[in-house]
Amino acid sequence: MEVQVEESWEELRESFRNRRTRSAAWRKSQLRGLLRLLHDKETDIFNAMKDDLGKHPTETYRDEVGILVKSLNLTLTCLDKWMASSKVHVPLVAFPTSGEIVPEPLGVVLIFSSWNFPLGLALDPVIGAIAAGNAVLLKPSELAPACSLFLAKNIPLYLDRKAVKVVEGGATTAEQLLNKKWDKIFFTGSARVGRVIMSAAANHLTPVTLELGGKCPAILDLSSISSSRDRAAAIKRVVSGKYGLCSGQACVGIDYLIVDEKHASAVIDSMKERIKKLYGDKPWENNSMSRIVNQNHFRRLRNLIEDPAVAASIVHGGSMDEENLFIEPTILLDPPLEAEIMTEEIFGPFLPVITVKRIQDSVDFISSRPQPLAIYVFSNDETLRRQVIAETSSGGVTFNDAIIQFACDTLPFGGVGQSGFGKYHGKFSFDAFSHGKSVLRRSLKTEMSFGYPPWTDHKLPFLRAAYNFDYIGIFLLLIGLKRK
Ligand code: NAD
């Protein structure tokens, strides 16, 4: 493996050095290659996703293939515009000058992806890296082996083997990769491994993007939602935002729900009904829910609810089938806040419902905890909405829905604080893998002599004017002077 890492790294370096990845034509051909791959191999993708996570093909299309197709189409449409340099205004002190920002690729980039969206979270950053003109090495997660193998087998068939590579493996391979110098590391995964990535990157002063997780809360402010239709829509979106995305194994999935105490039992009853509608009476026989990724995660989840105080708070579900790695959609009412289920990211189909006296108290509850990747607020109360935006910090806030922000690539996607840093999606992906180089052009013909020694007092007012006024200011000043 070490040899593969070494050889891959050398070849990618060489490809970048000889400018293979720079042209718009190369970038577009790779992006089109990815589109072809997604089109030609859709059935293989569905099968791999079924093997790794028991995901239904429709869910796979919604959360992975569809998102990638959309991302590729947007990138292909906008690439020329994104690659173009942009003119900037240059202050008077540098007159006569013109300035521009020229995006340039960072070089050879390393992408680590996680297992829960093993295709989407691997290829979406690859799209940004290629669009920005980089050579890329992707290491998919070893915990989704069928998808990892799919990528390793098919990427070389559709993309330039000299400039885009997939290396499979787990932590040992990752460590070997981290010993090499990269020009950017883009990591999706846990905060624990995020720390390993950052310290390895520090050795080479490599910039990193960390897409981490955390506990994404949802607030359901039932009092502000008056129509029964809207209430039903809100409940449906909460239930789906918890269980409907890889069975809760999603960084942007709802981790816990806050409701005011007077509505708690109505909310729980409606959620139970909705769970039945979405997954039937016997959800374990239904193929709409993904499976837990492996036994380790299954046991981790089981441990979360085995604590007697937590077990006592289960008000719906709780059954588990280790052989089939299936966990029933489960609701807990006010589990102890110091229990692991409320201090660690759940990453599974358990939904703690936390009650507060007044729904406004949810804002303090959230802001006294680590910053999540997303906050979801189901409310028609504009005051509460504004309060959440102003008084909490998170990667993003979504009102009256969950998850959907992930598909909106005109908005930057990424965390803050414990949920990571750096942004991607759409143009933000291009920027994440580019350096915006400052280019300043001056003429040799005009000289502002007051900017050079020998220093005299009469040069000072000119310098003051140059720093304090802009061209328009000077223009107005001159007009003003003339009028006098
Ligand atoms: P993980 O941190 O265990 O693994 C992520 C990647 O790191 C994998 O490729 C893995 O092989 C590699 N890795 C594992 N050990 C390593 C080591 N010692 N050194 C270097 N690399 C190592 O994460 P995971 O279990 O795959 O994913 C779950 C986590 O990812 C959750 O916390 C979730 O919230 C987060 N996540 C975040 C996003 C996001 O977009 N922000 C998306 C999905 C998942």
Side-chain angles (χ1 to χ4, degrees):
M1 185 52 73
E2 214 156 343
V3 175
Q4 194 198 353
V5 166
E6 191 61 41
E7 284 176 1
S8 300
W9 184 83
E10 290 288 351
E11 195 170 9
L12 290 172
R13 279 264 158 245
E14 182 48 32
S15 295
F16 187 71
R17 218 176 357 249
N18 68 28
R19 307 181 68 79
R20 190 179 182 91
T21 63
R22 297 281 180 131
S23 72
W26 181 88
R27 303 181 199 196
K28 287 179 188 170
S29 73
Q30 301 308 298
L31 298 171
R32 286 195 197 102
L34 274 176
L35 265 181
R36 274 200 310 280
L37 187 162
L38 294 174
H39 177 264
D40 297 354
K41 302 286 176 179
E42 195 172 88
T43 309
D44 293 357
I45 292 171
F46 290 163
N47 289 339
M49 215 62 81
K50 192 107 199 134
D51 287 352
D52 284 337
L53 291 153
K55 265 193 204 181
H56 193 281
T58 308
E59 187 179 337
T60 296
Y61 194 88
R62 182 194 67 179
D63 297 341
E64 312 219 32
V65 179
I67 299 256
L68 289 169
V69 168
K70 188 174 62 59
S71 174
L72 282 160
N73 284 332
L74 176 84
T75 308
L76 279 163
T77 307
C78 299
L79 190 62
D80 290 329
K81 198 167 72 191
W82 295 348
M83 285 177 68
S85 61
S86 46
K87 292 255 179 270
V88 294
H89 173 75
V90 181
L92 180 62
V93 70
F95 177 82
T97 320
S98 71
E100 60 182 328
I101 301 170
V102 179
E104 65 174 23
L106 293 173
V108 182
V109 305
L110 173 62
I111 294 172
F112 285 111
S113 54
S114 64
W115 51 264
N116 56 336
F117 295 93
L119 193 75
L121 296 178
L123 294 184
D124 220 358
V126 167
I127 293 170
I130 289 174
N134 298 280
V136 188
L137 192 143
L138 166 67
K139 196 209 75 64
S141 171
E142 72 284 13
L143 299 190
C147 290
S148 172
L149 182 64
F150 170 85
L151 290 166
K153 234 174 71 185
N154 287 291
I155 294 267
L157 302 181
Y158 285 82
L159 271 68
D160 179 352
R161 292 161 184 246
K162 288 186 178 305
V164 183
K165 291 186 180 291
V166 179
V167 169
E168 289 191 277
T172 313
T173 308
E175 279 159 24
Q176 287 160 7
L177 288 165
L178 288 171
N179 286 334
K180 307 297 299 175
K181 181 188 183 314
W182 304 91
D183 300 307
K184 165 103 193 191
I185 301 176
F186 187 103
F187 172 81
T188 302
S190 61
R192 179 184 66 81
V193 180
R195 289 188 185 92
V196 175
I197 302 292
M198 256 189 102
S199 58
N203 291 330
H204 300 290
L205 291 180
T206 298
V208 294
T209 291
L210 297 184
E211 295 288 342
L212 310 178
K215 292 179 83 62
C216 299
I219 301 171
L220 177 53
D221 172 21
L222 217 56
S223 332
S224 74
I225 306 171
S226 47
S227 97
S228 55
R229 229 175 114 195
D230 289 357
R231 284 185 172 198
I235 294 284
K236 184 173 171 183
R237 290 175 190 191
V238 168
V239 167
S240 176
K242 176 71 208 185
Y243 310 107
L245 202 72
C246 200
S247 276
Q249 302 168 103
C251 56
V252 284
I254 295 175
D255 189 278
Y256 62 93
L257 175 70
I258 307 181
V259 296
D260 61 81
E261 51 190 23
K262 67 176 182 289
H263 289 113
S265 86
V267 165
I268 289 171
D269 287 347
S270 309
M271 284 200 299
K272 286 182 190 173
E273 261 175 53
R274 181 53 65 181
I275 289 171
K276 235 185 210 180
K277 277 195 182 142
L278 293 184
Y279 304 110
D281 281 328
K282 297 178 182 163
W284 47 92
E285 285 179 3
N286 187 305
N287 61 1
S288 289
M289 270 194 91
S290 307
R291 298 316 189 232
I292 304 306
V293 63
N294 60 26
Q295 225 154 32
N296 283 346
H297 277 276
F298 184 92
R299 289 178 184 161
R300 175 186 66 77
L301 285 162
R302 190 172 56 199
N303 286 343
L304 287 182
I305 59 165
E306 266 180 359
D307 171 346
V310 175
S313 70
I314 296 177
V315 290
H316 179 78
S319 68
M320 301 177 120
D321 170 359
E322 183 162 1
E323 200 184 320
N324 292 306
L325 297 175
F326 178 81
I327 299 183
E328 188 185 5
T330 298
I331 305 173
L332 305 95
L333 178 60
D334 282 324
L337 294 182
E338 61 288 356
E340 239 186 322
I341 200 163
M342 281 312 295
T343 56
E344 299 295 319
E345 182 181 23
I346 296 173
F347 231 60
F350 302 147
L351 179 64
V353 175
I354 304 298
T355 57
V356 286
K357 284 217 172 327
R358 299 171 328 125
I359 202 69
Q360 290 74 12
D361 299 338
S362 55
V363 177
D364 275 347
F365 188 93
I366 292 169
S367 58
S368 62
R369 288 170 163 71
Q371 294 138 295
L373 192 54
I375 298 175
Y376 302 114
V377 184
F378 294 84
S379 175
N380 287 329
D381 176 2
E382 191 51 29
T383 312
L384 178 68
R385 292 180 182 199
R386 285 183 192 283
Q387 196 188 349
V388 171
I389 295 174
E391 296 176 23
T392 64
S393 174
S394 60
V397 182
T398 298
F399 294 108
N400 289 343
D401 208 345
I403 323 286
I404 190 72
Q405 78 279 7
F406 192 80
C408 298
D409 37 26
T410 44
L411 285 169
F413 180 81
V416 59
Q418 293 288 300
S419 50
F421 55 83
K423 309 279 172 218
Y424 79 128
H425 286 191
K427 169 73 160 60
F428 306 98
S429 290
F430 179 88
D431 292 341
F433 290 100
S434 299
H435 163 58
K437 184 158 66 184
S438 303
V439 176
L440 199 69
R441 296 173 209 274
R442 279 198 97 181
S443 154
L444 288 171
K445 301 224 178 305
T446 315
E447 200 62 294
M448 291 202 184
S449 56
F450 55 79
Y452 299 91
W455 299 124
T456 60
D457 288 348
H458 81 267
K459 291 184 178 174
L460 193 55
F462 289 101
L463 276 169
R464 274 194 215 287
Y467 280 108
N468 283 281
F469 296 106
D470 210 339
Y471 299 100
I472 296 170
I474 291 286
F475 179 68
L476 292 174
L477 198 73
L478 289 174
I479 294 179
L481 284 178
K482 240 174 140 187
R483 284 213 180 126
K484 271 186 182 174

